[in-house]
Structure formats: structure tokens, C-alpha cells
Amino acid sequence: MLTIKIFLLSLLCLFFVGAIPGLPQTTEKRISKTEAEKWREDLRYMAEQMPAVHINLFHTMSREQFDTAVNKLYDRIPTLARHQIIVELARIVAMVEDGHTNLRIAHDPEIRFHTLPLGLYFFKDELYVRSASREHARLVGAQIVSIGKVSTSEATARVRDLIGRDNEMGIKFFAPYLLVKPEILHALEITNSVKNVELTLKKDGKQQVVTVKPTDSTEVKELDDTDTSWTTEPGWVDMRSKTTATAPLWLKDINNKHWFEFLPDSKTLYVQINEIGHKKDETLGAFSKRLFAFAEANPVDKLVLDLRLNRGGDNTLFTPVITDIIRSKINTRGKFFTLIGRSTWSAAQNFINELEKYTETLFVGEPSGSKGNTYGDSRRITLPNSKIMVRVSVYYWQDWYPWDTREWTAPHLTAELSPDDYRNNSDSALKVVTNYSPQKSLNAIVMDALTEGGADLAIKRYHEFKALLLNRYADTEQPMLQAAERLLDQKKNKEAAKLLHVYVQENPRSFLAFYVLGEAYLAAGKKDLAIVNFEKALKIRPKNYTIAQRLKQLKAN
């Protein structure tokens, strides 16, 4: 793959004098010829090992795209500084687009990038300084408007390309770690220097520009199976620092793998499982037996299972919990709630897949950080010279039907943490559970609207449903597809097309909606429009057999 260029590229090591377009001029010294060859050896090794170890490296990108990216970096290596090379390696790995295939650029101890003394967090869609060293305490609680030369949204879009993720919630989780690394910001042309970072902040209605220098330390904490990012660094100030009340339940005992507490006033049994794993003195199965024995012996009206800090573990261990829930008195719609969010990932995703299939739980919170059909169980590839770790997925997990292409498990009831919620120890998700009252499902709303007033009224009711904050992330695909199929069965083909046209405008990644829209146009005698929509569906899911055959048949006729 790379040998054709070796002679010409070795000349570049000796004679290159210009800058490579698209990469910033660096304030750090470019690597030597010897170092360049070592990095090229690392790149060759990575390019050979990733396809060999990953179960299906080209599930999203093509082999040609991968080879092109590798060759381009191979060309550029002599012109780059160390941090720029590492960022470009991460970009190639992230092209795979699954969360267990990654180069953890902010957490690999061999990379040794510096860090700003700030802890960031996306509250809903806005980035805030959640915590900081005491020197920068005045910045805590401020919203970040821009970083260096670009807006926060643009900076996030750039680091997105370095993140191995299963969906966009993975960006919300990992981007704050990358946006405090000056070397990353410089390599992405967000800043002009690796020595300091200029931030534009908004706090108390006022905007200010500050310059923050990184710490001298390059030590990092590797990620584990519990999201411990909420633990404040020693000597730092957190948004909650001025709060005199004790920590909210979800932050009360982060390092405890599994525990529960009964809230007698609301008759709620709150359960937190922070890792799919055993304790030294109690297995997960034994914990489950103890938990549900308590639930049966006490006046428990609701059970809240909190998985918001659970980033995985061993997915063979949670079956006893599932079976105990199924047998329990709380396995009733409106009595059993599962709290999920951006950190609910890996084995925790497998857990909620089973909860969705076999229990009556209602999901509350944010969308999960993974999905039911995805790649996982990473294995490590250690690059021979830099010793940087690249992880790749070795299994494919299909917990959902093969045609189920949801990007995440959506909450039935959206509850997003706001800055004020966090500052005041208020748990928005637990509030939603406390105030819960049964609501009409979107399926029932749309079907009733079809009976009452046809497609126009169904579209109106759909928009009203989506406008409610509680339904921000609610899964709307199946109710809308079922409504369209009902119209098609009734030979109301134009109404079905109208309904689906509105839906695909708002959900342009729904290949099933484009497919059914194609069927609606075909039934209405509009073959050309049917082909256009089948092609759109196939572009989103290139290997879908049913759509490919449908297109082939139509074009042949």
C-alpha cells in the first residue's frame, strides 16, 4: 500500500521546505528524519493491524477511503510536529465510526498532551466551565462562546472527527476532554499556539475574553467502566462548591458499583448500578436478590434504576437482574423507570436493550451513548515506536432486529440536566419520575388524528408532540411509519406520501421512512419519485438487500 512512494517520500524528508495546506504552522519543532521514519512505521503497522483485528473495519467507510487517508498522512509526516501526527492518527481511527474503535487521544498515558485546568460539560447543547483550579475559580459556571479563533460549535465539530463513537451522544461525552488539550486545539487550527488558549465566556449576562495556560503536568486518568468525571479534582472549584446541601443521589456514591436507597416520602426505591460487575464482597446477582427482597417486603410504589454513570463492564452478568425484575411487583408501566444518558454505554447498552425487550420500564433522561446493533469488545494494538494504543472492535452485537437502525435508545421522557439543576443539586430526571402521569403515546395520538382529520391533522399532532420538551428525544419513527402504512392499506397513497414527506424532512437519516415514502409514490403511480426515494434510502443503508432488489426491479421494468 505504501511501498510505491517510499523513494520519493524519503526525498521529502531531506528537501521539504513549504507548509502543507490544511494544517497549521506549528510553534513546535518539526520531527527529525529518524523520528519521521518511526512515525511512518507506526502508521504502517496501524494500517496493517486495524483491518486484520477488527471484525469488519469497513462497515461505514470504504477500503479506498481508509487507504487514501493513510497515504496522505504518510506523505505529511515529515512536515508535521508530533502532536499534529497524533491528531491525524486519531482522525483515521475515528473514520471507522464505532465507539470501541478509537485512539483515546485525551486519555492515553503515552501521548502526554497538556491540559487546561478546566473541567467542561455540555449542559443540554451548551458548553460550560463546570469546574476549574482555584486560580480560575471566577470562570466556573460560565458558558463558553468561542475557543481560540472559532465558535464553540465549530470547535466541537472539528474534534468530532477525532472521536470513536457509536452516536452523537459519544461526542457530548468525549468532546469536553479534547477541548481542554492545547495540542489538539492547535493541530485543528482552533488556536495559534500550544502555549495558551483564548476563550470567550459569557457569565451573568456579561461577555469576557480570557487566556488560560495549560498545567505543567501531562498525567492522565484512563477511562474505566464508571463515569467518574463528576469527581472534583483536589483543590478545584466546582459549580456545586457553594451548595451547602449534601450531594444529590446520583452523585452520592459514584465509586460504589451498585447500591440502593428507599425514599419513604415518595415510596420510591432508588437503585444505582454504576458498573456491570461484581463487588469483592457481593456479586451483581446477589445484589439483585437483596434488592428485590427489600422491594417485596416494603411499601415500594416505584423503582428507579439509574444507569447514567454506567459505561459498561461484563455483559454476561446482568441476566439475574433482568429475571428478578420480570418477576417483581414493580415490573409495571409507570412503576419502573430506568435513567439513561450519554454515559450509558457498552455493556450498559446491552443491559438496557434487554430491559427494553423484556420489561415494562420507561426510559428517562438523555439518549444512550450506544445502540443495540453495534461493534464492541475492543482489543488493543500497540504502535511499536510511540507505544500509543489503538483499540478496535472484535465482535458485532445485534441485540435489535437487523433492520433496526436507531442510533441510540431514546428516552420515553426527556430530562436534561441544566446548569441551574446541577448548581442547586436538583436531579431533573428524578423530578420527571416524581411528577410522572401516564400520557397518550404518539402512536395513539397519530392514529386517532388520522381517524378524526386525516394526514393534515396527524401532521399537526405530530408537531405538537415534538414541541414538548419532555418528548425532545422520543422515538417517532415507528408511529409515523405505522400511520403511513395504515394510509397505504386504505389506498390513501397521496396522504401517506404527504405524511412521510414531512417526516423525512425532519429525519433525513431515516432510511425506512424514505423506503416507505418510495412505496407510497409507487402506489400513487409516481415511479420516478419512488426511485428517487428508494435511492435515498439505499444511500443511507447501502447494503440493504430489500431496497436494492426493489430498485433493481423498478429500473429493469
Side-chain angles (χ1 to χ4, degrees):
M1 176 170 58
L2 302 168
T3 53
I4 299 174
K5 300 181 179 179
I6 287 178
F7 175 73
L8 290 175
L9 293 174
S10 65
L11 295 179
L12 284 173
C13 297
L14 297 173
F15 301 114
F16 179 84
V17 293
I20 293 295
L23 284 171
Q25 295 283 347
T26 178
T27 56
E28 289 193 2
K29 185 178 178 181
R30 289 193 175 95
I31 58 175
S32 68
K33 177 182 176 181
T34 301
E35 290 172 319
E37 288 310 312
K38 287 182 178 179
W39 281 111
R40 282 176 164 173
E41 184 182 352
D42 278 1
L43 175 61
R44 281 196 297 267
Y45 186 77
M46 186 181 90
E48 291 165 0
Q49 290 297 308
M50 286 182 67
V53 178
H54 197 292
I55 187 173
N56 179 18
L57 191 72
F58 306 110
H59 61 83
T60 300
M61 64 174 172
S62 67
R63 178 75 198 225
E64 182 182 9
Q65 288 171 318
F66 180 72
D67 290 347
T68 298
V70 169
N71 281 320
K72 282 184 177 179
L73 179 54
Y74 191 88
D75 289 0
R76 290 179 168 185
I77 280 175
T79 74
L80 304 179
R82 176 183 180 273
H83 68 287
Q84 294 171 318
I85 295 170
I86 294 171
V87 164
E88 295 308 310
L89 288 172
R91 189 190 304 277
I92 291 172
V93 177
M95 289 172 62
V96 182
E97 291 192 22
D98 68 65
H100 285 81
T101 299
N102 55 65
L103 192 163
R104 290 181 176 171
I105 192 169
H107 295 92
D108 190 323
E110 297 296 334
I111 290 177
R112 302 186 304 278
F113 284 170
H114 294 84
T115 306
L116 300 180
L118 306 175
L120 310 183
Y121 188 76
F122 280 100
F123 289 100
K124 298 185 179 178
D125 297 322
E126 304 295 343
L127 186 64
Y128 281 78
V129 179
R130 183 183 63 81
S131 61
S133 65
R134 196 162 297 281
E135 176 189 359
H136 298 288
R138 63 191 177 88
L139 308 183
V140 173
Q143 180 187 341
I144 302 179
V145 177
S146 65
I147 302 173
K149 300 180 288 184
V150 303
S151 67
T152 300
S153 59
E154 175 59 26
T156 304
R158 295 188 193 186
V159 299
R160 179 186 186 278
D161 292 339
L162 313 182
I163 298 171
R165 72 275 182 188
D166 291 327
N167 57 40
E168 291 305 305
M169 298 309 287
I171 307 302
K172 278 193 171 182
F173 180 80
F174 280 108
Y177 290 109
L178 274 60
L179 291 170
V180 292
K181 298 288 185 181
E183 289 91 343
I184 295 175
L185 300 177
H186 176 262
L188 296 176
E189 297 188 79
I190 294 170
T191 61
N192 292 322
S193 170
V194 296
K195 304 300 182 184
N196 54 63
V197 176
E198 189 176 89
L199 302 174
T200 303
L201 306 174
K202 185 168 66 175
K203 186 176 182 181
D204 300 326
K206 298 178 182 179
Q207 196 159 293
Q208 61 176 319
V209 177
V210 299
T211 299
V212 182
K213 295 182 181 297
T215 61
D216 293 332
S217 174
T218 56
E219 291 184 9
V220 296
K221 292 180 180 178
E222 289 200 61
L223 295 175
D224 56 27
D225 291 328
T226 300
D227 177 8
T228 58
S229 63
W230 298 93
T231 304
T232 305
E233 296 288 335
W236 280 33
V237 177
D238 185 270
M239 286 172 65
R240 293 181 51 252
S241 294
K242 293 182 180 180
T243 303
T244 56
T246 55
L249 277 175
W250 69 282
L251 294 177
K252 179 180 176 179
D253 205 355
I254 288 176
N255 294 310
N256 193 341
K257 289 184 181 180
H258 41 253
W259 60 279
F260 67 85
E261 182 174 324
F262 183 55
L263 310 176
D265 290 346
S266 59
K267 296 182 180 179
T268 298
L269 186 56
Y270 176 86
V271 185
Q272 192 173 58
I273 299 180
N274 291 326
E275 179 185 330
I276 308 299
H278 300 318
K279 292 183 186 179
K280 290 181 180 179
D281 58 348
E282 185 176 47
T283 67
L284 187 57
F287 168 75
S288 182
K289 295 298 181 192
R290 181 164 62 86
L291 168 69
F292 286 99
F294 181 93
E296 293 299 321
N298 290 275
V300 174
D301 188 49
K302 291 179 182 177
L303 188 143
V304 177
L305 173 59
D306 194 344
L307 302 175
R308 287 175 292 178
L309 302 179
N310 194 321
R311 292 195 58 75
D314 185 344
N315 63 8
T316 67
L317 302 180
F318 55 66
T319 300
V321 186
I322 298 291
T323 55
D324 286 342
I325 291 170
I326 291 170
R327 289 192 290 256
S328 172
K329 68 181 182 182
I330 60 87
N331 188 32
T332 303
R333 206 71 160 180
K335 287 184 174 291
F336 177 30
F337 301 84
T338 302
L339 310 187
I340 60 174
R342 66 191 74 174
S343 293
T344 311
W345 187 69
S346 194
Q349 177 69 48
N350 297 131
F351 188 19
I352 63 175
N353 295 337
E354 301 298 289
L355 290 171
E356 180 182 9
K357 284 190 285 189
Y358 299 120
T359 78
E360 295 298 320
T361 196
L362 286 170
F363 293 116
V364 180
E366 299 177 317
S368 63
S370 189
K371 52 192 171 184
N373 295 339
T374 193
Y375 295 84
D377 294 80
S378 63
R379 297 297 181 267
R380 297 180 176 188
I381 298 169
T382 303
L383 304 188
N385 296 302
S386 64
K387 305 303 179 185
I388 289 173
M389 202 76 67
V390 175
R391 292 167 173 82
V392 295
S393 300
V394 295
Y395 295 131
Y396 180 68
W397 291 94
Q398 187 175 296
D399 288 356
W400 295 344
Y401 292 117
W403 56 83
D404 190 337
T405 58
R406 286 176 291 163
E407 289 299 307
W408 50 43
T409 297
H412 298 97
L413 305 166
T414 297
E416 297 178 282
L417 192 67
S418 72
D420 285 341
D421 287 333
Y422 179 69
R423 188 181 289 112
N424 298 319
N425 280 336
S426 178
D427 188 340
S428 54
L430 209 51
K431 273 187 181 179
V432 166
V433 171
T434 301
N435 298 326
Y436 172 76
S437 61
Q439 302 293 318
K440 200 173 184 180
S441 70
L442 179 61
N443 186 282
I445 290 170
V446 172
M447 290 300 187
D448 288 349
L450 288 180
T451 301
E452 186 181 340
D456 287 335
L457 184 59
I459 291 167
K460 181 175 182 291
R461 295 280 165 80
Y462 162 73
H463 283 137
E464 289 170 350
F465 178 87
K466 287 290 291 179
L468 296 174
L469 291 179
L470 202 62
N471 299 326
R472 179 183 178 188
Y473 291 110
D475 185 14
T476 59
E477 184 172 84
Q478 286 306 311
M480 295 299 278
L481 292 182
Q482 288 171 14
E485 287 166 357
R486 171 178 156 180
L487 291 170
L488 288 173
D489 289 343
Q490 295 172 344
K491 307 300 181 187
K492 296 178 180 178
N493 305 319
K494 290 183 180 179
E495 286 202 55
K498 186 176 185 179
L499 184 77
L500 287 169
H501 183 68
V502 169
Y503 185 75
V504 296
Q505 283 184 315
E506 297 182 6
N507 301 275
R509 296 296 301 165
S510 173
F511 90 98
L512 281 174
F514 279 113
Y515 171 64
V516 179
L517 180 56
E519 293 290 356
Y521 279 128
L522 192 62
K526 298 181 179 181
K527 180 179 175 181
D528 289 345
L529 283 175
I531 289 174
V532 166
N533 282 280
F534 287 146
E535 287 176 339
K536 287 180 179 179
L538 199 61
K539 187 176 181 180
I540 298 169
R541 286 285 177 265
K543 295 183 180 180
N544 187 278
Y545 177 82
T546 302
I547 300 172
Q549 291 301 307
R550 196 76 165 119
L551 261 176
K552 183 178 179 181
Q553 180 187 41
L554 278 177
K555 290 181 176 180
N557 292 333

